[in-house]
Amino acid sequence: MADNSLPTDLPAYKSAFLQSCLSARVLTFGDYTLKSGRQSPYFFNAGLFHRADLLRSISTAYARSIIDFVTHTPLSIDVLFGPSYKGIPLATATVDKLAELSPDQFASVSYSFNRKEAKDHGEGGNIVGAPLRGKRVLIVDDVITAGTAMREAIDIIRKEGGELVGVIVALDRMEKMPGGADDDDGTPRLSAIGEVKRVYGVPVLSIITLDDLIGLLRGMGSEEDMRRLEEYKARYRASG
């Protein structure tokens, strides 16, 4: 192994985020069986961002990614929505970081999240935080794999009268959606992110991508892990 240098072509906040992922073992390399049945050479567990400094790292990366995007593309956001459960701390921490980094743009942005079961007393309902009716909503989540949870979140937003304007995730795996028994037959398919873009017509942002992980390993001199990631990408590459 050569050194532990991170890719030099990434923005500083992405490099810092990758360093946090490695130091906290949020991102690990090895042999992992995913829910889809695929054998993956890496694993990303955003649930490990539970320590204060790590939560600050991921919320900063989300906020910087959003700010970078809206600087170049018109996008108005009223509410960050965190699908329960993992999305809840991600959305709430990112709202706070947006207001800190760009108060003129984001001081009035709210957060919201859903309950798994509707509350039948007090204020009732499925939503905690800002009401969604008439609001422009950006979903904050860790990853999109099969897309089932994302569709459920979008359905909730629409049912509550909100307008979906985009999605942001921590990692874009850049792999095609699972294809059941014929998953490895070479048939081109969209990624889950590509499917969300196609069906809902909204931008889907990510802090980092599989290509960034490959660049990370190249910079670290981890040739075997890099080779395995490149083979995985070639095998399950999404068509869009």
Side-chain angles (χ1 to χ4, degrees):
M1 183 174 291
D3 58 42
N4 290 327
S5 60
L6 291 167
T8 58
D9 58 340
L10 287 178
Y13 73 87
K14 293 194 178 193
S15 292
F17 175 67
L18 278 170
Q19 188 61 62
S20 295
C21 290
L22 290 173
S23 64
R25 294 191 61 78
V26 171
L27 173 64
T28 53
F29 302 97
D31 294 293
Y32 304 95
T33 301
L34 305 181
K35 184 183 290 187
S36 63
R38 291 176 183 169
Q39 297 296 124
S40 174
Y42 72 100
F43 190 68
F44 180 82
N45 182 5
L48 295 179
F49 277 100
H50 50 70
R51 207 171 62 205
D53 58 331
L54 298 175
L55 184 61
R56 188 180 305 119
S57 173
I58 193 170
S59 64
T60 298
Y62 276 124
R64 288 291 186 193
S65 298
I66 293 168
I67 292 168
D68 279 359
F69 185 81
V70 301
T71 298
H72 302 97
T73 306
L75 183 69
S76 297
I77 304 165
D78 299 313
V79 178
L80 298 191
F81 182 82
S84 60
Y85 290 105
K86 280 187 180 180
I88 295 173
L90 302 179
T92 53
T94 302
V95 162
D96 178 65
K97 187 57 67 172
L98 281 170
E100 175 188 328
L101 295 175
S102 186
D104 289 344
Q105 283 181 295
F106 296 108
S108 298
V109 171
S110 298
Y111 73 82
S112 186
F113 59 88
N114 62 298
R115 295 186 176 98
K116 287 289 189 181
E117 296 181 0
K119 187 177 179 183
D120 59 4
H121 59 281
E123 76 278 15
N126 288 90
I127 299 299
V128 179
L132 300 181
R133 184 164 302 281
K135 302 298 184 181
R136 294 160 296 194
V137 183
L138 179 77
I139 295 175
V140 182
D141 213 348
D142 55 351
V143 295
I144 306 176
T145 48
T148 304
M150 185 57 58
R151 287 191 293 272
E152 290 174 354
I154 294 171
D155 286 346
I156 290 169
I157 291 168
R158 289 182 166 180
K159 181 180 178 181
E160 293 292 327
E163 176 193 355
L164 179 71
V165 296
V167 177
I168 185 168
V169 295
L171 172 65
D172 179 359
R173 295 181 62 94
M174 301 176 68
E175 63 185 78
K176 61 185 179 182
M177 295 178 67
D182 299 323
D183 189 41
D184 200 20
D185 63 357
T187 302
R189 287 190 296 275
L190 290 172
S191 67
I193 284 179
E195 186 70 8
V196 169
K197 292 178 181 177
R198 183 189 69 83
V199 173
Y200 300 102
V202 297
V204 181
L205 320 178
S206 67
I207 301 173
I208 55 173
T209 69
L210 178 57
D211 281 341
D212 294 329
L213 302 190
I214 293 172
L216 166 69
L217 292 173
R218 183 177 294 112
M220 293 172 61
S222 304
E223 294 183 7
E224 178 60 21
D225 286 333
M226 183 181 70
R227 179 189 62 80
R228 296 178 69 229
L229 257 69
E230 288 178 330
E231 290 177 351
Y232 185 84
K233 179 184 174 183
R235 186 175 188 179
Y236 295 113
R237 182 195 303 270
S239 59

